[in-house]
Structure formats: structure tokens, C-alpha cells
Amino acid sequence: MKFCKGFTRLQINVIILLGSFVVLLLCSTLFLRLADSSTVFSPTPPHTKIRNARPSLSPTFNREINIGGSGDESVADVFTVDGKLYIFGSTASSDCDLDGEGGVYLAKVAADGSTLGFAQYGNAGDSLVRAVLCEGGFLLGINKSDGGSYLIATDLAGEKKSDADTSGAANEQIADVKQFGERYVVLTRITDNLGVVNLKARVLNDKLETVADRVFQHACSLEYIDLFEVGDGNYVIAVNLVSEIAGRMAFVSWGLRQSPLFYDIDLGSGSVYRCDAVIPYQHGYLAAVVDDKKICDIITVSTAFALHSRIYLKQSSVGGARLFYTPDGYFCLMKRGTDLSTMIMLDFDLQYKGVAAQFSTAADVYSHSVYGNSAVFCMSGKRGAQVVTCADGKVTGGADFGCPYMENIFVRKIDGKLAFVATFDKTTSDCPVNFGKKDVWVAMLN
């Protein structure tokens, strides 16, 4: 009371008003802090599996989206069917887009990049080697995590129709699956007790019933390169023969009614080399070979498997090569060093046309596609990825993007535009979001 007596009534009213203001200010500050803390620590909204693609931050792309979960994802094959992308691969996730228990997935993506649905197959740890687009659906070649392999047939919606076991031995795993007419050929690897790798081929009908099988054995390990059909029920496999003292390629001719015959390709003078790629041409086969001094050349082999000629490309320090044919001729793309690739061109008469291009930002060549008179090549290097367009024997355009060392790169044409699909493990301005260490990135090029 003595304290109050020292103030007039007006002063007391002012003090009461100021006190009320201070209380209101403190309450409002506390409310705002509580509201802010509730925003920061609020639970993450549930993941939406069916979602629209986001606008891309890169001028190269229109829209983009990533597919995956907290584990690692990879892409194995991509198809365009009825204006949609069908992306097949392997996953180690059990959340986000891939919340099932299977190790193999299908992601359906619309032409604008939005997700349309997902499916998973097999068991955790299984991995997809090859997907084949066939009549009425897809055929998936899958390796089991604990050894062995199997096939799954699906319809176009991705629903499982049937399956078939291809693991005659516990360690028998798929190297490739190809379709020839109404038959499928499944190549598997089998490692014996001495570490020598043999191959086995199964010819299946459209019901996945075995029509014939053949085992290919050699004193050397057989490193699979490619498989070709040369007539109804007759096939050729290109392999590398690998041992501690030898290295060269061979062709294996076989068929439904023919036992395997090996044809070694000896380049002479005790040459040790490996073949990186084989493609057929009108007189037989072209093969890109790299010797033990890392010199790359192209050899021609006749349909009777006789060495015909050697085209000296004069390219050194080659770590790997790919062969492609386009409307303009043949191309050999060679990896040279960690971030350099060289493109060599031959015309259809196999006349050497010189170096078509050098690329200093990408080295690993993953795929190529031909659309009309243009060919599109996909490459990756330590500074990112490249898509290169080639027409009339010349590089007519390209784009650099992505993140270092993108893997399993595919470009597919859909609704008149190009869609880019790859595995990535680093976020950049082009790939700003990922769910786990490795995701699959889908981007629509402008």
C-alpha cells in the first residue's frame, strides 16, 4: 500500500496497461515458439508412390523424378509400351516406392515423368540380369541371392503369369536372356571346382518349356560376349577364352540338332587379347579387340569363322570398347583413360573414315539407340553424363548433365521426346533428391 500511495491514479493505470502489454507479448512469443517447434518436429508426411514429376532445375530437362527407397536401386532394362516407360531393375529397399519384399522391381512411368505404379518380384537379395519384351508381356531373367536362377513371365500390366527354374546347379546363374521368334534362349554360367567357368544354353518355347539344352566346356574359362541366331534353331555365341597363360576370343556354333563346335580366333604371333564387343555385318562379324598393350583394333570374321582382316585403328591406352551400327555406318567408341572417349567411324564397306569425335567429359559408353536417321549415344564419366546425337556421320548435338559416374544409362523416345533413365548416387543441381545412396533417375529432355 505504501508503494501505491507514491503514484497517482493515472500513473497506476499506465503501469497496469504496460504490464498487461508485457504479459501479452510474452504469451504471443511463447505461442510462436511452440508453433515453430511443432512445425520443425512434426512427422514427415507419408511417401506418395503415385506422384507427379517435379520441374527440373537443369535447362537440359523439362521434368524429372527419382525412383527408389532407403536402400540401393539400379536399372537393368527400359521399354516404351503404349506411351509409357516400363523400367525394370533391382532393389535393396523395403520402403518408399519399393515397399515389398522382392529384390526385382517394375516401375511404370508416364510420358510426363509421373509415376503410374510399381510391382516387385522374387525375394530380397535377388537381382535382375535381363528383361525381354515379348508377345503379351515381359520375360525376366533373375539370379538368386544364394545361388541359382529363374525366369518370371508377366503380362503387360506387370502381373506374374508363370515362372521356370533355370538353376540346374546351385551356382548356375544367368548371363543373358534373348528372344528369337517364338523361342527364348537362356545363357547361364557354371563354375566348376577348379574355378573354370563353363556356359549352358537352354532353348525354351513360349510356355517356358525346355526344347533343348547345350553345355559348352573348354580348358579355359568362357567369358560371355554375345549371342546371335543364324538360322531357325541355329545359334552362335561369342566368348573370350580366359586363362593364366592365354587370352583370345572364340565363336561357338550350335543348334537344336547340332552339338557345339568351337572356333578359336588366333591373331598370330602369340597375341594375347580380349574382345569387348561383337556385331554382325553382311559378310560375318565385326569384333572390337584390345590387346595386352591396350591397343584397340577391329577384326572381321567370316560366317565360317575364319579371320578375314584387321582394321588398325591406331588407338592406344584403351580400357574398353563398344561397337554400334547406325544409318551412316559403323562406330567404335573407346574408353581411354578416366574421362576420355574416342569415336571412330567406318562406312558400310568398312573403309576407315577417321575420328568422328572426342569426348573429354565421359568415358564409359552404356547404350545407343537409333531413331530415323539419327543415333543417340549415352556415356558417363567423372564429371557427369552425356547424351550425344549423331547424323550423317557427324556429331550434331549433345548435352552434359547429371552426376559423376552415372550407371546403366538408357535413352528412350516417348511421345516424340527423349527420356533419360540412369542409376545415380550423388545429389547435384540436376539430381537434387534421392531416397537412399543409389536411386534411379528419370528425366524428360527438352
Side-chain angles (χ1 to χ4, degrees):
M1 296 297 295
K2 290 182 179 180
F3 175 78
C4 293
K5 287 182 179 180
F7 293 91
T8 65
R9 182 176 296 277
L10 177 61
Q11 289 173 326
I12 291 172
N13 289 336
V14 169
I15 291 171
I16 292 172
L17 287 172
L18 288 174
S20 301
F21 177 78
V22 170
V23 171
L24 288 171
L25 182 62
L26 289 173
C27 289
S28 63
T29 301
L30 180 60
F31 175 79
L32 288 173
R33 287 189 176 183
L34 288 172
D36 182 64
S37 66
S38 66
T39 301
V40 171
F41 296 104
S42 64
T44 303
H47 178 76
T48 303
K49 295 174 70 172
I50 309 302
R51 60 193 184 278
N52 294 326
R54 56 185 173 264
S56 176
L57 299 177
S58 169
T60 305
F61 303 102
N62 181 6
R63 301 183 71 79
E64 65 177 355
I65 200 166
N66 56 300
I67 294 167
S70 57
D72 286 351
E73 277 70 47
S74 62
V75 56
D77 278 303
V78 181
F79 305 94
T80 55
V81 181
D82 297 331
K84 305 179 187 69
L85 290 172
Y86 286 73
I87 302 170
F88 290 92
S90 303
T91 178
S93 297
S94 58
D95 55 6
C96 294
D97 294 335
L98 306 169
D99 54 6
E101 297 181 354
V104 174
Y105 74 87
L106 161 64
K108 289 180 280 188
V109 177
D112 63 359
S114 59
T115 55
L116 299 174
F118 300 88
Q120 286 178 254
Y121 314 95
N123 300 305
D126 293 352
S127 61
L128 178 67
V129 178
R130 183 77 67 233
V132 177
L133 176 62
C134 50
E135 184 69 28
F138 302 94
L139 184 65
L140 312 181
I142 301 171
N143 284 333
K144 300 177 184 178
S145 59
D146 57 352
S149 58
Y150 60 100
L151 302 172
I152 288 180
T154 76
D155 60 20
L156 283 176
E159 293 293 328
K160 178 180 172 180
K161 296 191 300 184
S162 61
D163 57 27
D165 191 271
T166 53
S167 50
N171 60 351
E172 185 174 348
Q173 296 206 309
I174 292 174
D176 203 357
V177 179
K178 288 199 174 186
Q179 180 186 22
F180 301 105
E182 296 182 352
R183 298 191 187 102
Y184 303 100
V185 180
V186 181
L187 263 293
T188 54
R189 297 186 184 92
I190 307 172
T191 305
D192 67 18
N193 295 330
L194 299 177
V196 176
V197 179
N198 299 309
L199 295 177
K200 183 175 182 177
R202 289 178 177 83
V203 183
L204 310 175
N205 60 20
D206 57 358
K207 296 180 181 178
L208 302 187
E209 298 168 334
T210 300
V211 176
D213 57 47
R214 296 285 185 272
V215 176
F216 312 103
Q217 293 178 309
H218 198 279
C220 299
S221 284
L222 303 179
E223 182 184 78
Y224 171 73
I225 303 171
D226 214 335
L227 167 69
F228 311 97
E229 185 180 46
V230 293
D232 186 25
N234 294 305
Y235 308 94
V236 168
I237 302 175
V239 298
N240 281 313
L241 305 176
V242 181
S243 72
E244 294 181 357
I245 60 174
R248 61 190 183 280
M249 75 171 300
F251 290 91
V252 189
S253 175
W254 60 283
L256 298 180
R257 298 174 181 83
Q258 175 192 334
S259 299
L261 296 173
F262 279 80
Y263 299 89
D264 292 10
I265 307 301
D266 188 353
L267 297 187
S269 304
S271 178
V272 176
Y273 72 96
R274 58 173 283 111
C275 173
D276 273 2
V278 177
I279 59 174
Y281 86 116
Q282 58 181 341
H283 300 300
Y285 304 91
L286 302 181
V289 299
V290 182
D291 66 19
D292 54 351
K293 298 180 180 61
K294 295 187 177 182
I295 304 295
C296 182
D297 294 320
I298 292 177
I299 63 173
T300 65
V301 178
S302 71
T303 54
F305 310 109
L307 177 64
H308 184 260
S309 64
R310 186 168 180 173
I311 302 168
Y312 294 92
L313 302 183
K314 301 178 182 178
Q315 297 295 317
S316 60
S317 302
V318 177
R322 299 288 185 273
L323 284 174
F324 307 101
Y325 51 87
T326 77
D328 300 313
Y330 302 100
F331 287 89
C332 181
L333 267 164
M334 291 163 282
K335 176 182 177 180
R336 303 176 63 212
T338 58
D339 60 350
L340 174 67
S341 57
T342 300
M343 179 189 287
I344 297 293
M345 182 183 176
L346 307 174
D347 64 20
F348 286 114
D349 294 323
L350 301 185
Q351 296 299 308
Y352 177 73
K353 305 300 289 186
V355 176
Q358 296 264 22
F359 306 104
S360 60
T361 61
D364 292 317
V365 181
Y366 280 99
S367 66
H368 99 298
S369 303
V370 175
Y371 300 106
N373 293 323
S374 298
V376 181
F377 300 91
C378 307
M379 294 173 283
S380 177
K382 70 180 182 180
R383 285 183 291 226
Q386 281 188 323
V387 169
V388 177
T389 303
C390 184
D392 298 325
K394 298 178 180 179
V395 174
T396 58
D400 300 338
F401 51 83
C403 68
Y405 299 117
M406 301 187 85
E407 299 173 348
N408 302 350
I409 305 171
F410 297 86
V411 168
R412 296 291 183 262
K413 199 166 193 177
I414 183 167
D415 281 3
K417 295 185 177 180
L418 294 179
F420 176 88
V421 183
T423 304
F424 76 102
D425 62 358
K426 289 182 175 63
T427 56
T428 66
S429 58
D430 289 340
C431 315
V433 178
N434 73 332
F435 303 132
K437 184 180 179 182
K438 285 188 177 182
D439 278 358
V440 174
W441 187 50
V442 184
M444 319 319 259
L445 278 77
N446 285 320

